[in-house]
Amino acid sequence: MKIVVTVKQVPDPNGQHRLDADDTIARDGEVVLDPGDECGIEVGLQLKEAHGGEVVLVSMGPERSREAIRRGLSMGADRGLLITSDELSGADALLTATALATAIQPEEPDLVISATESYDGSTGMVPPMLAELLGVPQLTFATKVEVDGETVTVHRQTEGGYQVVEAHGPSLVTVTAGIAEPRYASLKGIMAARSKEVKVLSFEDLGLDSSEPVETVESIEPAEEREAGEVIEDDGNSAVERIMETLQAARVI
Amino acid sequence: MATIWTYAELDSGALAPISLELLACARSMGEVTSIALGPGAGEAAASLGRHGAGRVLLSEDGVYAEYLAEPATDALAALVEKEKPDVLLFGFTPDSREVAGRLAARLGVGLISNALSVELSGDEVRAKVPYFGGAQVATFRANRRPAIILVRPKSYEAEEVGGEAGREPVEVTIGEGSTRARIIETKVEAGEQIKLEDAPVVVSGGRGLGGPENFHLVEELAEALGGASGASRAIVDAGWVPYAMQVGQTGKTVRPGVYIAAGISGAMQHTVGMKSSKLIISINKDAEAPIHKISDLGVVGDALTILPKLTAAVRARTGK
Ligand SMILES: Cc1cc2nc3c(=O)[nH]c(=O)nc-3n(C[C@H](O)[C@H](O)[C@H](O)COP(=O)(O)OP(=O)(O)OC[C@H]3O[C@@H](n4cnc5c(N)ncnc54)[C@H](O)[C@@H]3O)c2cc1C
Ligand SMILES: Nc1ncnc2c1ncn2[C@@H]1O[C@H](COP(=O)(O)O)[C@@H](O)[C@H]1O
């Protein structure tokens, strides 16, 4: 089966970040392959191991996103597509999904895998848009994915448990962070990745126009912060007493 | 007058709380129509009316509950095409966001997600959205119509205003091409506990508890206080507790009278889901932990020793 995994490069979740002068999230600090997408790659590789086929990584971002693709290739993916353009900073979800769909369509994948939400954008809007633009159903919040012939079955995490959801034929699956432990890239994998193909596509190549944003950022202000209260050191008993007083004052007990 | 539509989310036939919160948001902007799709829509219509919907477009068709996202997208696309509303509000919840995403892509209009508030002035639609992990708030202007906006739960308070909605049936044929992602089975795992979003007290635990074997300390305190227990994403991802307990950006938003955070560092993605609680108490052994900076009472200490003592003290006081 042919599996496409969407991957995004994001600011390192463990690093320090700042905003650029134009209030976009600075991309020149430490960046990594989105940890959620690492899980997506892992699921893709496991399916390939079970059913044969190919895992293709697709990313849209600045030239340095090649590093994110490279990392996935070291894990074992077969090749990559990098959509890059100068106009990308601040691309909205619809433009991102449109670019990804245009690049993915000719691949005619059996399965597309994305993370439920990215670490920086994190609103999870790209995958449903991508599914719509590719004309495939979406099986979302997967904590488990199984493929049997044409049938894809997932356990879809819900508030109170999970649903078993099934589709036949090409589909898009979004995976949760808990679904699988991403493998480490072996030295051999890292060496092999160097000779794997990463094809670069520009907006012009894809026939895309990014001149009319669907939304405009008008202003950015600091969020209202709660005022800090009192911080006390526990010396064995005082803490419990103080918490009890606070709970009583709040009439909880 | 502007026409404002809201998407009423039905969860196993019952109206999701966000659906009524959306009406509190919509009411101030114009004439409100709610769309309710699936079994339970008829009953939902009465409640939607009492909360400010002037009209409800509804269908009791089981297809909307049996398949993910696509049937609802088809229905909404057909209705929008016909009536061209100015604004279409969804809840920023897992189920609604999938429908909203597909619809926005099909209509080619885009959307604004995770909105804290929505405002209409003249014919301009704006929404405020947490930015950069919640440290900042950005104001977005929607450039296309309908303006599709996904509102974060608990951003508005549901309010009964009295009234009865006119009802109109939705007559859209759902094509075979849209009955693809089929829900075969629904499994419920969560226990008996009070709903996290409705609990008067929430006690949450994080990685600082050391391991899943200590989470009972959180549960016992929550129970003694008549509340519910919650969790940080770190321990949900680690598999200590189910996702239903997660508080934060990608989990639940809560607003209890008291929120107690034990062994939670206070990352922005966590605090965005609890910082509107009336009273916040934090227990964290690191004096510099960010959670202490937003709490009314920050205790620098070991959660593993403080929690059981606190539970005992509460039980002694309340006699339970
Ligand atoms: C896109 C995105 C979405 C996210 N969504 C969410 C979300 O919805 N909810 C959420 O919670 N997080 C979310 N996160 C993760 C968030 O950034 C943090 O990683 C997470 O909240 C940390 O969990 P924690 O506080 O339990 O763990 P840690 O950050 O590891 O903190 C553990 C704390 O426990 C303290 N501690 C250790 N031992 C003890 C002890 N014995 N007694 C007392 N204190 C002790 C430590 O000092 C430390 O402060 C999200 C992240 C991203 C990128
Ligand atoms: N620029 C991008 N390039 C590749 N994949 C992306 C991009 N943006 C989003 N995605 C995919 O969609 C998922 C959810 O992203 P988001 O909708 O931004 O929260 C990510 O984890 C990726 O798998």
Side-chain angles (χ1 to χ4, degrees):
Chain A
M1 64 193 295
K2 190 189 260 186
I3 301 163
V4 165
V5 184
T6 58
V7 299
K8 187 179 178 187
Q9 193 174 51
V10 298
D12 186 346
N14 301 312
Q16 290 289 327
H17 309 301
R18 56 182 183 77
L19 293 178
D20 272 338
D22 64 350
D23 279 324
T24 52
I25 295 167
R27 304 264 164 179
D28 57 353
E30 287 288 299
V31 286
V32 295
L33 167 60
D34 191 312
D37 290 332
E38 278 186 27
C39 296
I41 296 171
E42 178 60 37
V43 171
L45 293 174
Q46 287 179 12
L47 289 171
K48 175 186 160 178
E49 279 153 12
H51 304 278
E54 189 188 24
V55 176
V56 183
L57 308 179
V58 182
S59 188
M60 172 172 117
E63 171 60 32
R64 66 190 293 205
S65 304
R66 187 186 287 274
E67 283 313 307
I69 293 180
R70 193 63 73 195
R71 186 166 154 73
L73 296 177
S74 318
M75 287 171 69
D78 297 287
R79 59 189 170 87
L81 298 174
L82 173 61
I83 308 161
T84 185
S85 141
D86 296 338
E87 304 144 74
L88 286 184
S89 86
D92 56 56
L94 183 58
L95 181 58
T96 305
T98 306
L100 293 174
T102 313
I104 292 171
Q105 200 98 56
E107 295 283 340
E108 298 186 2
D110 301 297
L111 196 65
V112 178
I113 302 176
S114 301
T116 47
E117 69 260 322
S118 61
Y119 264 63
D120 58 344
S122 78
T123 65
M125 297 314 313
V126 169
M129 290 182 164
L130 178 58
E132 174 68 26
L133 296 171
L134 290 173
V136 301
Q138 68 209 46
L139 304 168
T140 43
F141 295 95
T143 54
K144 187 176 165 190
V145 183
E146 271 170 5
V147 174
D148 182 7
E150 286 269 281
T151 307
V152 185
T153 309
V154 307
H155 284 189
R156 177 177 188 258
Q157 176 177 282
T158 60
E159 294 233 328
Y162 67 91
Q163 294 169 326
V164 182
V165 187
E166 182 183 282
H168 305 281
S171 312
L172 179 142
V173 170
T174 70
V175 299
T176 59
I179 191 166
E181 190 63 42
R183 66 193 63 187
Y184 287 106
S186 65
L187 193 57
K188 203 165 132 235
I190 295 170
M191 298 300 287
R194 293 200 186 142
S195 56
K196 288 177 180 170
E197 179 200 20
V198 178
K199 188 168 165 195
V200 178
L201 298 162
S202 69
F203 263 39
E204 295 71 55
D205 295 334
L206 296 172
L208 293 171
D209 171 21
S210 57
S211 56
E212 253 189 279
V214 293
E215 74 234 0
T216 310
V217 181
E218 289 192 330
S219 64
I220 293 178
E221 293 138 39
E224 254 176 61
E225 277 311 324
R226 260 182 102 96
E227 267 180 49
E230 197 187 346
V231 178
I232 59 164
E233 197 88 31
D234 179 33
D235 62 9
N237 282 312
S238 60
V240 172
E241 256 166 55
R242 283 299 309 278
I243 296 175
M244 289 297 286
E245 282 165 28
T246 309
L247 291 175
Q248 265 179 305
R251 299 179 181 282
V252 183
I253 47 171
Chain B
M1 192 136 153
T3 50
I4 315 295
W5 284 16
T6 70
Y7 177 69
E9 182 176 314
L10 292 165
D11 179 10
S12 312
L15 202 51
I18 181 69
S19 312
L20 300 178
E21 295 166 24
L22 287 182
L23 292 171
C25 169
R27 244 175 17 233
S28 60
M29 290 191 281
E31 269 169 35
V32 184
T33 295
S34 292
I35 323 296
L37 304 171
E43 212 167 301
S47 180
L48 292 164
R50 282 198 303 280
H51 287 81
R55 182 173 73 133
V56 178
L57 304 178
L58 76 162
S59 165
E60 286 270 349
D61 195 333
V63 72
Y64 298 108
E66 193 180 343
Y67 297 92
L68 293 183
E70 293 180 90
T73 307
D74 284 3
L76 286 168
L79 294 170
V80 166
E81 200 63 46
K82 195 164 125 216
E83 298 201 21
K84 307 213 169 358
D86 300 299
V87 179
L88 175 48
L89 302 178
F90 287 85
F92 186 56
T93 62
D95 284 350
S96 289
R97 81 183 194 192
E98 295 178 5
V99 179
R102 286 199 88 109
L103 182 69
R106 190 174 302 178
L107 300 175
V109 296
L111 49 72
I112 299 174
S113 66
N114 203 16
L116 302 166
S117 64
V118 187
E119 195 192 300
L120 178 76
S121 58
D123 58 1
E124 299 198 328
V125 184
R126 294 188 174 78
K128 290 201 190 301
V129 174
Y131 194 66
F132 202 49
Q136 290 171 307
V137 176
T139 303
F140 283 78
R141 193 184 64 226
N143 296 334
R144 306 208 183 149
R145 295 295 178 269
I148 298 182
I149 299 177
L150 289 81
V151 180
R152 236 191 120 68
K154 301 265 165 166
S155 298
Y156 289 84
E157 205 160 325
E159 194 194 346
E160 285 208 22
V161 288
E164 201 171 324
R167 298 174 188 219
E168 291 171 30
V170 172
E171 277 148 7
V172 177
T173 323
I174 305 302
E176 221 168 80
S178 295
T179 51
R180 299 187 287 189
R182 177 154 170 257
I183 302 169
I184 310 279
E185 206 182 339
T186 297
K187 299 248 191 201
V188 179
E189 286 176 328
E192 288 292 290
Q193 89 154 347
I194 325 174
K195 268 191 123 183
L196 199 50
E197 307 93 300
D198 306 333
V201 177
V202 173
V203 185
S204 289
R207 189 142 51 190
L209 293 173
E213 68 282 3
N214 294 326
F215 194 75
H216 70 99
L217 300 175
V218 164
E219 290 172 316
E220 282 154 16
L221 179 59
E223 201 190 309
L225 290 169
S229 35
S232 73
R233 169 158 161 179
I235 72 168
V236 171
D237 284 355
W240 300 4
V241 296
Y243 168 70
M245 285 190 178
Q246 182 174 317
V247 172
Q249 181 175 324
T250 42
K252 301 240 169 81
T253 302
V254 298
R255 232 174 210 192
V258 180
Y259 187 90
I260 303 180
I264 291 179
S265 59
M268 227 104 72
Q269 295 90 355
H270 183 78
T271 59
V272 72
M274 46 66 76
K275 68 180 174 190
S276 311
S277 306
K278 285 203 195 68
L279 180 75
I280 299 175
I281 300 174
S282 53
I283 307 171
N284 190 307
K285 68 178 184 189
D286 178 4
E288 298 303 315
I291 191 79
H292 289 322
K293 300 199 172 61
I294 63 152
S295 52
D296 300 279
L297 177 64
V299 176
V300 181
D302 182 1
L304 300 181
T305 59
I306 295 173
L307 285 173
K309 280 198 263 178
L310 186 57
T311 305
V314 171
R315 283 186 183 144
R317 182 73 49 85
T318 55
K320 277 186 213 155

